[in-house]
Amino acid sequence: MSNTPHTWPRLFIQEKLSTGELLTLPPEQSHYLTHVLRSVEGDSVRIFNGVDGEWRAMITQCPVGKKKGLILKLIEQRRQHESIPDLWLCCAPIKRAHFDFMMMKATELGANVIQPILTSRTQIRESNSERLRAIAIEAAEQSERLSIPEIKPALALPDLVEQWPAHRLAILCAEFGDAQPVAQALSGALARARPSAAILTGPEGGFTQDEMMQIKALPEVLSIRLGPRILRADTAAIAAMSCWQALCGDWQNRDFHTRPDKIANAEKE
Ligand code: SAH
């Protein structure tokens, strides 16, 4: 068993976490640990549930038989829960492979909520929340997040605009019209004063003029240009979220979360 914690497997579970608690993993997670990672009794696993930070657990029983789940014993909390910036991604569903990629990257880039929006040019009208959530969970496990983004059911754009949350800055990705260059827009007073923001990207065919006007009628909105080229929607979402995190979000923090190896290396630099 490795004694370097960041090599231990990392799993999201739904149960409450407290010292000494015994947890039985569901079959798919048990199978992953025993048959893919070849974990054995005594091995450590990192566990998080989105509210109680990250814990070290130890595999205490590897029952034989596919139906039975591994038993883990919670040993100690290793990381306190940390809140992350309040960033939503409101995105028109696009072709499956690209949308799956977008979900993965939005999770790595710290989206708190992913809200699929149905616009007049959206070709993919349904989004399978369960499948998207599974992609987000895997990306959260890999990126060492302590939370999972909430994947909301798809909403038609007019309904989203109608129920737009007060005090949430809308950041419209617009490849044409009067959009401001992204760095200028997100360095401005409004962007920096609003801790709650939502980035909006259109479908492969883009937003219509009328849809842009609906979004621009929201109480607080910035229209941003992501350079002179037309980006795929997934590229635009990644670019816009990266710029927001760098200028308004948690990419300004230097501190690594409590990973002694990370801190030790940083101090040597
Ligand atoms: N209308 C485009 C295709 C839309 S691209 C075309 O003529 O082919 C899909 C989405 O990505 C757009 O709705 C917009 O939200 C975003 N996007 C693409 N390029 C962008 C850019 N340069 N600046 C800002 N947003 C962009």
Side-chain angles (χ1 to χ4, degrees):
M1 177 196 76
S2 148
N3 57 11
T4 38
H6 68 276
T7 63
W8 300 340
R10 194 162 187 277
L11 296 177
F12 173 75
I13 58 160
Q14 314 265 11
E15 283 85 351
K16 178 108 189 75
L17 303 178
S18 56
T19 307
E21 193 81 21
L22 287 180
L23 299 170
T24 303
L25 288 183
E28 59 279 357
Q29 287 181 320
S30 298
H31 180 269
Y32 169 67
L33 284 182
T34 49
H35 293 80
V36 175
L37 298 185
R38 302 273 178 232
S39 300
V40 295
E41 285 179 20
D43 282 357
S44 291
V45 183
R46 290 176 289 169
I47 300 284
F48 68 106
N49 65 358
V51 290
D52 294 323
E54 181 181 279
W55 287 66
R56 177 168 80 90
M58 182 179 289
I59 301 174
T60 54
Q61 279 181 48
C62 294
V64 179
K66 280 207 175 187
K67 295 285 175 233
K68 294 213 166 85
L70 280 186
I71 314 282
L72 302 185
K73 182 175 183 185
L74 283 171
I75 306 297
E76 63 191 347
Q77 183 179 24
R78 292 180 38 79
R79 288 170 62 190
Q80 295 283 332
H81 183 66
E82 299 149 11
S83 61
I84 60 172
D86 183 11
L87 178 63
W88 288 16
L89 174 63
C90 301
C91 46
I94 53 177
K95 287 187 183 64
R96 179 168 167 158
H98 287 274
F99 201 46
D100 290 359
F101 181 75
M102 202 181 199
M103 293 303 105
M104 201 186 297
K105 301 308 150 188
T107 302
E108 291 171 52
L109 291 169
N112 247 347
V113 164
I114 296 172
Q115 169 65 68
I117 36 176
L118 303 177
T119 69
S120 57
R121 293 177 185 157
T122 302
Q123 288 156 13
I124 316 279
R125 305 299 297 183
E126 81 292 329
S127 58
N128 176 332
S129 299
E130 272 317 298
R131 188 173 58 79
L132 299 179
R133 178 173 161 79
I135 292 168
I137 286 174
E138 192 171 340
E141 290 171 341
Q142 171 275 327
S143 59
E144 304 205 349
R145 276 183 64 146
L146 292 171
S147 62
I148 306 295
E150 181 190 351
I151 313 269
K152 288 180 177 279
L155 265 182
L157 181 64
D159 297 335
L160 176 65
V161 166
E162 190 187 320
Q163 54 191 280
W164 190 261
H167 314 307
R168 187 166 295 276
L169 174 64
I171 299 171
L172 167 63
C173 293
E175 68 278 18
F176 58 82
D178 61 353
Q180 287 181 61
V182 57
Q184 177 187 324
L186 298 189
S187 306
L190 180 57
R192 301 177 71 83
R194 288 290 171 272
S196 299
I199 286 166
L200 293 97
T201 57
E204 289 92 344
F207 289 114
T208 63
Q209 280 286 11
D210 176 56
E211 288 167 341
M212 292 261 207
M213 296 318 288
Q214 286 179 57
I215 296 167
K216 288 179 179 176
L218 287 170
E220 292 185 327
V221 55
L222 286 173
S223 183
I224 65 167
R225 187 88 188 278
L226 296 161
R229 288 167 290 280
I230 299 290
L231 309 176
R232 276 187 174 278
D234 43 339
T235 313
I238 292 166
M241 292 185 72
S242 300
C243 292
W244 189 86
Q245 288 290 15
L247 294 166
C248 309
D250 62 10
W251 283 9
Q252 302 185 34
N253 310 344
R254 241 195 75 72
D255 58 310
F256 293 107
H257 54 69
T258 48
R259 260 179 61 174
D261 58 315
K262 279 273 190 190
I263 295 167
N265 295 341
E267 278 156 3
K268 280 185 214 139
E269 283 163 15

